[in-house]
């Protein structure tokens, strides 16, 4: 007939793992130390602490035993008056345990860390004028001869953090240069410019709003509306070799519709 193990032996087998050897005597038969027995901390009339030890078998987990040991060690090393001077029983918990600060992480932090997706492309207005860098900070639109097509600007279009669900926010940088199209106020008029940036910081997922354009596709053409100045669009003139600018009209004399050609890397 199988025998039922005695409770004391069963408890010793449970605590016989090497990681818990500190709970046993170093020599002789392994007997559980008094630390693993029920502890009762009381206060005497003279303000001192009385530690009462129960001789009943402790049926607590290792985590509870360890918590009792840590609490007892802290109480032994500190003045009693500090731990129990307050009648509020919660004061002992603030004495034994240390508060850990809670660091809040916003969703934007994860978005900023996400990799920026981009593609290389060329843009022509609906009159098939190409965009060319006429000077270090000026884009112009003109018809190019076949031999001059290598002058056409290649944009690195970065897909940035979305603010509106029905439009695609992008940033337009010039490939191979630390220049991005941006919108700023000059006088009382929103103005398009090429802005030089730090290549170590750009492009990034959460671009400043002056760099962001809401890209919309209409009948196989695209238009780019300033996110900072709604209803203002990247535009070209009907005239040849005029600067690209920020226009306030659609479908009029100024051109806001472009065709986009994706360039293989």
């Amino acid at each position: 007939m199988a025998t039922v193990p005695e409770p004391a032996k069963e408890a010793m087998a449970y605590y016989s793992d090497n990681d818990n050897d500190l709970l046993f005597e170093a020599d002789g038969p392994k007997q559980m130390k008094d630390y693993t027995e029920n502890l009762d901390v009381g206060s005497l009339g003279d303000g001192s602490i009385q530690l009462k030890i129960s001789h009943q078998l402790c049926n607590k987990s290792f985590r509870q035993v360890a918590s009792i040991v840590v609490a007892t060690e802290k109480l032994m090393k500190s003045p009693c008056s500090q731990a129990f001077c307050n009648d509020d029983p919660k004061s002992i918990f603030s004495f034994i345990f240390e508060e850990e600060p809670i660091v809040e992480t916003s969703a934007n932090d994860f978005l900023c860390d996400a990799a920026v997706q981009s593609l290389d492309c060329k843009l022509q207005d609906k009159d098939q004028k190409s965009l060319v860098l006429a000077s270090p900070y000026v884009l112009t639109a003109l018809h190019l001869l076949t031999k001059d097509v290598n002058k056409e600007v290649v944009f690195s279009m970065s897909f940035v953090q979305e603010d509106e669900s029905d439009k695609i926010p992008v940033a337009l940088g010039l490939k191979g240069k630390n220049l991005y199209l941006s919108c700023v106020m000059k006088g009382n008029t929103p103005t398009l410019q090429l802005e030089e940036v730090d290549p170590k910081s750009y492009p990034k997922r959460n671009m400043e709003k002056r760099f962001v354009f809401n890209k919309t596709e209409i009948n196989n053409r695209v238009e780019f509306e300033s996110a900072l100045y709604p209803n203002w669009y990247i535009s070209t003139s009907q005239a040849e070799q005029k600067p690209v600018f920020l226009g306030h009209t659609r479908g009029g004399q100024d051109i806001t519709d472009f065709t986009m050609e994706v360039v293989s890397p």
Side-chain angles (χ1 to χ4, degrees):
M1 177 182 295
T3 59
V4 179
E6 296 180 8
K9 293 181 179 179
E10 186 178 11
M12 289 178 63
Y14 178 80
Y15 287 104
S16 62
D17 186 77
N18 290 336
D19 293 338
N20 300 330
D21 283 344
L22 291 177
L23 297 176
F24 301 95
E25 298 291 348
D27 54 356
K30 287 191 173 182
Q31 298 294 333
M32 298 183 69
K33 286 187 178 182
D34 289 341
Y35 297 114
T36 62
E37 297 178 352
N38 292 331
L39 302 181
D40 180 17
V41 179
S43 177
L44 297 179
D46 58 359
S48 60
I49 300 175
Q50 182 184 24
L51 183 64
K52 297 180 181 180
I53 303 177
S54 172
H55 294 283
Q56 297 178 355
L57 176 65
C58 178
N59 192 25
K60 303 296 183 181
S61 67
F62 176 74
R63 182 185 295 274
Q64 291 171 306
V65 173
S67 297
I68 294 173
V69 173
V70 171
T72 305
E73 289 293 330
K74 282 200 171 187
L75 290 172
M76 291 174 62
K77 294 179 180 180
S78 303
C80 302
S81 57
Q82 293 182 8
F84 299 100
C85 62
N86 196 327
D87 292 336
D88 185 0
K90 293 185 295 184
S91 62
I92 188 173
F93 292 103
S94 62
F95 172 73
I96 294 175
F97 300 103
E98 297 179 2
E99 290 188 22
E100 289 290 341
I102 299 175
V103 180
E104 295 183 1
T105 302
S106 65
N108 288 336
D109 293 335
F110 295 105
L111 287 173
C112 291
D113 291 339
V116 180
Q117 296 183 348
S118 61
L119 59 82
D120 295 339
C121 63
K122 294 180 179 180
L123 298 174
Q124 288 185 340
D125 67 15
K126 69 177 184 179
D127 286 350
Q128 298 184 339
K129 292 197 295 294
S130 301
L131 305 187
V132 175
L133 193 62
S135 66
Y137 299 99
V138 178
L139 277 177
T140 58
L142 70 159
H143 292 94
L144 289 176
L145 299 175
T146 304
K147 64 178 182 178
D148 295 325
V149 292
N150 59 338
K151 296 180 180 180
E152 191 173 5
V153 165
V154 177
F155 291 95
S156 179
M157 181 185 296
S158 302
F159 297 91
V160 297
Q161 183 175 338
E162 295 188 26
D163 291 328
E164 301 183 37
S165 58
D166 59 335
K167 298 179 181 179
I168 303 173
V170 299
L172 294 170
L174 273 60
K175 185 176 181 181
K177 299 181 182 295
N178 304 325
L179 296 172
Y180 277 81
L181 287 175
S182 67
C183 301
V184 295
M185 185 69 72
K186 290 186 178 180
N188 296 320
T189 305
T191 303
L192 186 71
Q193 66 175 13
L194 281 173
E195 183 175 335
E196 190 170 4
V197 299
D198 182 359
K200 296 180 181 179
S201 303
Y202 293 86
K204 56 186 178 180
R205 177 73 175 172
N206 190 16
M207 295 282 285
E208 291 82 0
K209 206 165 186 176
R210 69 182 183 276
F211 293 112
V212 180
F213 296 90
N214 291 315
K215 172 178 167 286
T216 306
E217 295 188 13
I218 303 175
N219 298 326
N220 296 324
R221 289 196 175 100
V222 294
E223 65 181 19
F224 300 93
E225 179 186 13
S226 169
L228 186 59
Y229 304 108
N231 300 318
W232 289 81
Y233 302 85
I234 295 178
S235 308
T236 61
S237 172
Q238 297 279 356
E240 185 80 4
Q241 207 166 346
K242 294 294 183 180
V244 180
F245 62 96
L246 207 59
H248 196 43
T249 58
R250 298 171 61 195
Q253 183 176 359
D254 298 330
I255 301 173
T256 59
D257 296 335
F258 296 85
T259 56
M260 186 176 73
E261 176 190 354
V262 177
V263 179
S264 300

